Amino acid sequence: MSTTVSGVDPAVLRARLDRARSAAADAGVDALLIPPGSDLRYLIGGSGTSFERLTCLVLPAGDRPPVLVLPKLEAPGYAAIPFDDLGLEASAWVDGEDPYALVAGMLGRPTVVALGDVMPALHVLGLRGAVPGAEQRLAGPVLRELRMRKDATEIAALREAGAAIDRVHARMSEFLRAGRTEAEVGADIAAAIVAEGHVRAEFVIVGSGPNGASPHHAVSDRVIEAGDVVVIDIGGPVAGGYNSDSTRTFAVGEPRDADVPATYAVLRDAQRAAVAAVRPGVPAQHVDGVARAIISDAGFGKYFIHRTGHGIGLDVHEDPYIVSGNDLALEPGMAFSVEPGIYLPGRWGARIEDIVVVTQDGVESLNNRPHELVVLPG
Ligand code: ZN
Ligand code: ZN
Ligand code: ZN
């Protein structure tokens, strides 16, 4: 298994565990049960990747100490976790023992337990059988209240990630040329993502020509042609685990389609206006509405087929979502993408994406490459 330990100050982790406990109590939850993943990493500073053997942080809402239940053979992967500083106990089990009974024994007689959103169904049902009287809920709604309000250290990590991905976009003329396939360009970009300071490339979208009209296209063997518009959406985690995610749209030589400049200008105006609308107190959906109104007024509303943005941190997609219907009031420390797009089926697509952070009185953009269509040599 691979374990990642983020090097977060133990005092910060201890405060997160305490806040998670009291948030659980406020929500009427007796205990949080958190499997490996970004929630676990957020709370204890590291996480492994075990699947069928139960690893689970048992975090009671009351004063009983938190316990990391884990398979004994996985224990070395958690050796760097500062158990003592966190007041965290470890309880290892071996193959043949029943880990669900072990967890049940720690819980007493709970009425409500909240399970981490990514817990495998295998364990959800195993725990249901071991604690049959307890209602199971998702832990996500409890933990997102913590995770979407980022502290200065988290913002600094996101800023570092943003600068690193900006450096990759700045090098695009090295990679993106007519006559190469999307996959070839994507492989070079993935290497550059690592070379510029990421741990790995989490995703690489090279959407050339008609493929750009599919927002989550990855790469294909399509050969890029002179005159293509190409959507490049790239990102990955830096050492602390915080992610970058930025999109720029390029043209390989002067764009073939005469509609590109005017259509792109609508998108640029929409993205700029949406970023400018970000400040504390503004509902998340207002930012979406600003972008959507500009694109719709220009006649492209039906070609903007996704929400305007998503929160980002230890996960590439997390709360808060910048979407119609989300009336959450933005607060300082919230970090999310602003990424409207226009997708013309069978023709081409364009998207502009920056990660922004809500400040005390406005907004800071963590991506700072130019927003104009970048015309590369064909
Ligand atoms: Zn996406
Ligand atoms: Zn993206
Ligand atoms: Zn994104």
Side-chain angles (χ1 to χ4, degrees), residues 169 172 176 205 207-209 212-213 228-234 246-253 255 260 263-264 267-268 339-343 348-354 369-376:
H169 274 304
M172 205 53 63
L176 181 55
I205 293 174
S208 69
D228 278 352
V229 172
V230 186
V231 177
I232 306 281
D233 185 353
I234 52 179
S246 178
T247 308
R248 287 296 183 268
T249 299
F250 298 81
V252 180
V260 169
T263 308
Y264 187 88
L267 179 64
R268 183 208 53 208
E339 53 174 308
I342 295 177
Y343 308 96
W348 54 278
R351 179 164 65 254
I352 304 169
E353 176 180 24
D354 292 324
R369 296 292 303 158
H371 295 89
E372 302 307 314
L373 182 73
V374 183
V375 179
L376 300 174

Side-chain angles (χ1 to χ4, degrees), residues 254-276:
E254 287 302 323
R256 192 164 51 244
D257 186 326
D259 293 341
V260 169
T263 308
Y264 187 88
V266 171
L267 179 64
R268 183 208 53 208
D269 290 351
Q271 201 268 350
R272 180 190 291 158
V275 171

Side-chain angles (χ1 to χ4, degrees), residues 193-347:
I193 287 172
V194 173
E196 296 296 345
H198 296 82
V199 175
R200 66 176 181 276
E202 187 73 18
F203 56 93
V204 176
I205 293 174
V206 181
S208 69
N211 291 340
S214 169
H216 272 179
H217 176 76
V219 296
S220 77
D221 290 329
R222 183 181 183 278
V223 177
I224 294 162
E225 299 168 18
D228 278 352
V229 172
V230 186
V231 177
I232 306 281
D233 185 353
I234 52 179
V238 293
Y242 287 80
N243 285 282
S244 64
D245 181 9
S246 178
T247 308
R248 287 296 183 268
T249 299
F250 298 81
V252 180
E254 287 302 323
R256 192 164 51 244
D257 186 326
D259 293 341
V260 169
T263 308
Y264 187 88
V266 171
L267 179 64
R268 183 208 53 208
D269 290 351
Q271 201 268 350
R272 180 190 291 158
V275 171
V278 174
R279 62 185 173 279
V282 165
Q285 66 177 351
H286 176 70
V287 178
D288 180 85
V290 166
R292 207 162 296 278
I294 291 172
I295 291 172
S296 296
D297 287 352
F300 296 106
K302 69 170 184 282
Y303 302 116
F304 176 18
I305 54 176
H306 56 69
R307 64 193 175 213
T308 291
H310 55 83
I312 190 167
L314 292 172
D315 286 319
V316 178
H317 288 185
E318 59 182 53
D319 284 284
Y321 291 96
I322 308 303
V323 63
S324 170
N326 185 4
D327 57 8
L328 176 82
L330 298 178
E331 294 176 33
M334 290 184 178
F336 50 86
S337 68
V338 178
E339 53 174 308
I342 295 177
Y343 308 96
L344 304 175
R347 295 171 66 193

